[in-house]
Amino acid sequence: MKKSLGAVAVAAAMALSLSACSGSSSSSEESATGEISYWLWDANQLPAYQQCADDFQAANPDITVKITQRGWDDYWSTLTNGFVGGTAPDVFTNHLGRYGELAENKQLLAIDEAVEKDNIDLSAYNEGLADLWVGQDGKRYGLPKDWDTIGLFYNKAMLSSAGIPEDQMKDLTWNPEDGGSYEKVIAHLTVDKNGKRGDEPGFDKNNVDVYGLGLNGGGDSSGQTEWSYLTNTTGWSHTDKNPWGTQYNYDDPKFQESMEWFAGLADKGYMPKLETTVGASMADTFAAGKSAINAHGSWMIGQYTGYKGIEVGIAPTPVGPEGERASMFNGLADSIWAGTEKKDAAIKWVEYLASADCQDVVASKAVVFPALKASSEKAAEAFQAKGVDVTAFTEHVKNKTTFLYPITDNTAKVKGIMEPAMDAVVSGKAPASSLTQANEQVNALFK
């Protein structure tokens, strides 16, 4: 869901900046009726939003909503081509890592007037979510739809076989020097082809059957599910300020020390080598019994708990050197394309998506946490009714141990620089100190 687009994104962003549309959509009776298109990328959420569309159409018979779901990579490349070619959807699910550039290139419709006119209560959303969608120009480009944090999905049977009590998973600690109790658990859960564990004499790191920790990738510029829940417990942060920072901090010794530790897991045989993960689903690898713990986002709860024959537990991220846990806090929103010819209908649909009428439907499906506080609580109850303890995710919000997804300009170009740089480090082909040069390239984008 949150993977980088790499070089494709860089090329697309360049094309986008050259063909940004004016954003002048006229308000008319015609723009308040007819068919509007709505795109999203998460197949797991499609049924909930189709129900929202059906309910919306019943209440607004002059408007129909056509929903299109595309996989993450295809979603953004097709969407960018749509902006360039004038065929983008009227409304689409937007990401914090994308909207800064889209707003700067005038691809998004500001909705401030509608929000004020229709008395949208922005305080009803979880703290800070509504503020994220106000651009550097002070205009609002989206209404919150959901939020997510990071937790540790683990295989209960593997934990039991290793003699590790589940309560121990709730109190893990981590540091970049020796990995703390987190590395000890990862090592003990790692098993080679001969049945030797990672912390036992004779362990063969080149012939591993089960890895203690799964790997989703190098993490490109954000490391959302890969390493940010660790690096950000050291006092390090991605940028000088957030949102709208202008300096990245990949040259910080704290960050580089953390990344040396992370890359070292693969060298020790406790985590898959990066090249073996290309094109693979980390969740499916977990389901196949090839990893014992996967650090992943709350949007994946349904997938992990839906695998047949596997009992899954969810633990909080480990406590770091500064005495607290950490998780990236990402909040999606629905935005309107500036080139829409159905401005008023699109606004009405976005406001409905952000309302309790829709977010309660999403909550009832127990797939993600909606942005509205009341709907978010209903989602937690729906998860509990399914026998899923989601405390690992909700306690980050409750205890204020979250930090924002880095929101800056030039995000596609930053990813284009950092993805190969991070891959080189995680694959063991370059030392973490090489990130200093990559950081210089990144920060040059803001000069």
Side-chain angles (χ1 to χ4, degrees):
M1 175 178 170
K2 305 287 201 271
K3 294 183 295 182
S4 168
L5 296 182
V8 174
V10 178
M14 292 174 64
L16 188 63
S17 65
L18 295 173
S19 59
C21 57
S22 66
S24 58
S25 248
S26 61
S27 179
S28 66
E29 185 177 342
E30 184 180 346
S31 80
T33 61
E35 181 180 274
I36 54 174
S37 52
Y38 175 55
W39 286 12
L40 50 80
W41 64 73
D42 189 355
N44 293 323
Q45 296 185 56
L46 181 57
Y49 284 106
Q50 186 57 61
Q51 181 63 56
C52 287
D54 293 342
D55 295 343
F56 175 78
Q57 288 166 173
N60 300 274
D62 291 336
I63 304 173
T64 57
V65 179
K66 181 181 180 182
I67 300 180
T68 298
Q69 182 268 323
R70 300 177 185 275
W72 173 259
D73 287 346
D74 186 40
Y75 180 90
W76 288 105
S77 58
T78 307
L79 185 61
T80 302
N81 290 336
F83 291 140
V84 175
T87 58
D90 301 293
V91 180
F92 63 98
T93 300
N94 206 348
H95 191 280
L96 290 175
R98 311 287 171 173
Y99 99 95
E101 284 181 310
L102 294 179
E104 183 183 11
N105 291 326
K106 303 188 185 305
Q107 297 293 343
L108 304 180
L109 184 73
I111 58 175
D112 303 81
E113 290 183 13
V115 168
E116 183 176 358
K117 177 175 69 71
D118 297 326
N119 297 313
I120 304 299
D121 182 8
L122 299 176
S123 67
Y125 301 102
N126 274 286
E127 185 178 353
L129 290 183
D131 297 338
L132 296 177
W133 296 93
V134 176
Q136 295 188 80
D137 58 4
K139 296 180 180 179
R140 173 169 300 283
Y141 293 105
L143 285 174
K145 68 188 288 98
D146 60 29
W147 59 265
D148 56 67
T149 54
I150 306 301
L152 305 178
F153 294 91
Y154 61 88
N155 186 309
K156 289 189 175 185
M158 289 182 179
L159 218 68
S160 177
S161 178
I164 299 173
E166 288 193 60
D167 283 348
Q168 187 175 337
M169 292 295 293
K170 299 177 182 178
D171 297 311
L172 296 175
T173 60
W174 174 82
N175 66 74
E177 288 80 32
D178 63 15
S181 63
Y182 188 40
E183 180 170 340
K184 286 183 172 64
V185 165
I186 291 171
H188 194 60
L189 287 169
T190 302
V191 184
D192 70 14
K193 300 286 186 180
N194 297 313
K196 291 285 187 181
R197 295 191 176 276
D199 55 359
E200 293 179 341
F203 169 71
D204 184 355
K205 69 176 185 178
N206 296 313
N207 290 285
V208 177
D209 188 39
V210 179
Y211 292 98
L213 184 67
L215 180 63
N216 201 31
D220 60 65
S221 57
S222 75
Q224 181 176 12
T225 63
E226 295 84 5
W227 39 258
S228 69
Y229 68 97
L230 300 170
T231 58
N232 290 62
T233 65
T234 66
W236 178 82
S237 59
H238 290 75
T239 52
D240 56 344
K241 62 178 181 176
N242 202 12
W244 312 121
T246 57
Q247 294 288 299
Y248 279 81
N249 299 319
Y250 302 116
D251 59 345
D252 190 315
K254 291 180 182 178
F255 178 71
Q256 294 185 7
E257 185 180 15
S258 298
M259 291 312 304
E260 286 284 7
W261 174 85
F262 186 72
L265 290 180
D267 184 57
K268 294 173 182 177
Y270 301 162
M271 182 174 74
K273 293 188 180 299
L274 182 65
E275 57 266 27
T276 68
T277 69
V278 177
S281 162
M282 183 173 75
D284 288 345
T285 302
F286 175 90
K290 294 301 180 183
S291 61
I293 300 173
N294 276 8
H296 225 151
S298 55
W299 64 89
M300 294 294 291
I301 295 172
Q303 185 160 339
Y304 278 96
T305 58
Y307 290 119
K308 292 183 179 180
I310 299 179
E311 217 179 336
V312 176
I314 309 171
T317 55
V319 174
E322 294 200 325
E324 289 190 336
R325 310 182 195 279
S327 170
M328 188 172 285
F329 190 52
N330 186 34
L332 305 181
D334 290 303
S335 295
I336 300 172
W337 177 39
T340 180
E341 295 180 355
K342 301 290 181 181
K343 173 185 173 182
D344 295 316
I347 288 174
K348 186 173 283 191
W349 171 235
V350 164
E351 290 182 348
Y352 186 81
L353 288 166
S355 73
D357 287 338
C358 178
Q359 296 203 8
D360 281 354
V361 168
V362 175
S364 70
K365 303 294 185 182
V367 178
V368 294
F369 295 103
L372 287 168
K373 296 174 188 174
S375 300
S376 186
E377 291 169 1
K378 290 177 181 178
E381 292 169 1
F383 280 118
Q384 186 175 10
K386 293 174 68 173
V388 181
D389 181 1
V390 296
T391 307
F393 300 107
T394 58
E395 73 173 12
H396 279 300
V397 177
K398 178 182 177 181
N399 297 334
K400 300 185 185 301
T401 54
T402 61
F403 56 93
L404 292 179
Y405 188 102
I407 305 169
T408 69
D409 289 334
N410 302 306
T411 49
K413 293 178 182 177
V414 172
K415 287 177 183 290
I417 293 169
M418 292 308 301
E419 183 168 22
M422 293 303 304
D423 283 357
V425 171
V426 175
S427 65
K429 295 177 181 177
S433 58
S434 65
L435 297 174
T436 296
Q437 183 178 2
N439 194 68
E440 291 172 357
Q441 291 178 275
V442 166
N443 286 340
L445 298 172
F446 296 87
K447 293 179 179 177

